[in-house]
Amino acid sequence: MSMKFSGAYTSLKREELMQKVQMRMSERRFLHVLGVEETAVALAAKYGASEERASIAALTHDYAKERPDEEFELIIQRDGYDPELLAYGNAIWHGLVGASMVERELGIEDEEILQAIRLHTTGAAEMSLLDKIIYVADYIEPGRDFPGVKEARELSLLDLDKAVAYETKHTLMHLIEKEQKIYPKTIETYNYWVSKKRGKDHR
């Protein structure tokens, strides 16, 4: 991808940002990040969001994914996060707390980009267009292969809100099947996007 950054959201060029991200993760994770970027930029082009913001948010969404738990725990305790967060793990922390690492270490201060990073695994009831794009792109990028991903990809091209609902429902089902603790925001996302959609369809 040959996107030129304007300097509006980061002083880094795309290659420099990619390098900084790549240094923080395994090769497999970095390939995932590039897949998310490709998907997010395509969705941004389709739905009229900033392609540059989508590119930056996608490149940095998993910046903190491979950091040690101790580092997250320290930041949660030090920076006034809800102590309840300590009951969850990396799956929740790397977005929510990772956004502050992106801000501090990479100097990205654009609130829309940071919010998309915060919400990319849990979603939220209130989501901006960019939030939805990163949430969905993370789920359907080309490297993903699981039952239902084809349907999710098709939905994303027809109706982004329906793709958000589909992903949320399937993520929740997966967590329940694995008997994992469910972060309250994921339930909020479900209640807003999935049950609301069903109500609408049944009118």
Side-chain angles (χ1 to χ4, degrees), residues 4-23:
K4 291 259 186 291
F5 287 172
S6 66
Y9 311 114
T10 171
S11 56
L12 300 168
K13 292 185 170 68
R14 180 170 171 271
E15 290 65 34
E16 294 169 330
L17 181 59
M18 279 170 62
Q19 252 177 336
K20 284 179 182 290
V21 168
Q22 188 171 18
M23 279 162 54

Side-chain angles (χ1 to χ4, degrees), residues 8-199:
Y9 311 114
T10 171
S11 56
L12 300 168
K13 292 185 170 68
R14 180 170 171 271
E15 290 65 34
E16 294 169 330
L17 181 59
M18 279 170 62
Q19 252 177 336
K20 284 179 182 290
V21 168
Q22 188 171 18
M23 279 162 54
R24 285 290 183 179
M25 59 186 59
S26 62
E27 189 58 28
R28 196 177 73 87
R29 172 72 38 198
F30 186 61
L31 287 173
H32 160 72
V33 161
L34 293 180
V36 175
E37 185 198 21
E38 181 191 326
T39 308
V41 169
L43 289 173
K46 178 169 176 56
Y47 290 107
S50 158
E51 292 175 41
E52 185 179 350
R53 268 194 174 122
S55 166
I56 295 166
L59 285 174
T60 55
H61 81 283
D62 271 354
Y63 178 70
K65 179 78 176 165
E66 295 180 0
R67 300 287 179 98
D69 285 358
E70 301 76 52
E71 197 174 335
F72 285 111
E73 286 160 358
L74 189 77
I75 292 172
I76 289 166
Q77 287 160 332
R78 187 193 67 197
D79 293 353
Y81 285 90
D82 183 346
E84 267 295 288
L85 258 183
L86 292 167
Y88 296 88
N90 177 287
I92 301 298
W93 297 340
H94 83 275
L96 210 54
V97 183
S100 68
M101 296 180 184
V102 167
E103 184 174 9
R104 207 169 46 240
E105 296 173 19
L106 300 176
I108 292 166
E109 293 175 351
D110 183 77
E111 186 48 37
E112 213 178 311
I113 291 171
L114 295 173
Q115 186 66 352
I117 297 169
R118 281 184 207 112
L119 298 182
H120 82 267
T121 53
T122 63
E126 298 294 318
M127 291 169 87
S128 71
L129 180 55
L130 184 64
D131 294 340
K132 293 179 209 172
I133 284 169
I134 301 301
Y135 183 70
V136 170
D138 184 34
Y139 193 69
I140 64 166
E141 60 93 0
R144 296 285 200 202
D145 183 20
F146 54 83
V149 73
K150 187 169 167 289
E151 290 84 340
R153 286 185 184 125
E154 286 164 4
L155 266 181
S156 75
L157 298 175
L158 298 170
D159 185 326
L160 198 57
D161 286 2
K162 283 189 175 154
V164 167
Y166 182 93
E167 170 182 344
T168 303
K169 177 182 166 181
H170 287 266
T171 299
L172 200 55
M173 282 161 55
H174 176 75
L175 291 170
I176 289 167
E177 201 163 300
K178 293 250 180 295
E179 297 186 359
Q180 285 178 350
K181 199 174 168 83
I182 294 167
Y183 190 59
K185 209 172 201 65
T186 305
I187 311 248
E188 272 173 43
T189 308
Y190 173 85
N191 286 342
Y192 185 85
W193 292 98
V194 183
S195 57
K196 181 185 90 160
K197 287 288 171 288
R198 215 176 51 219

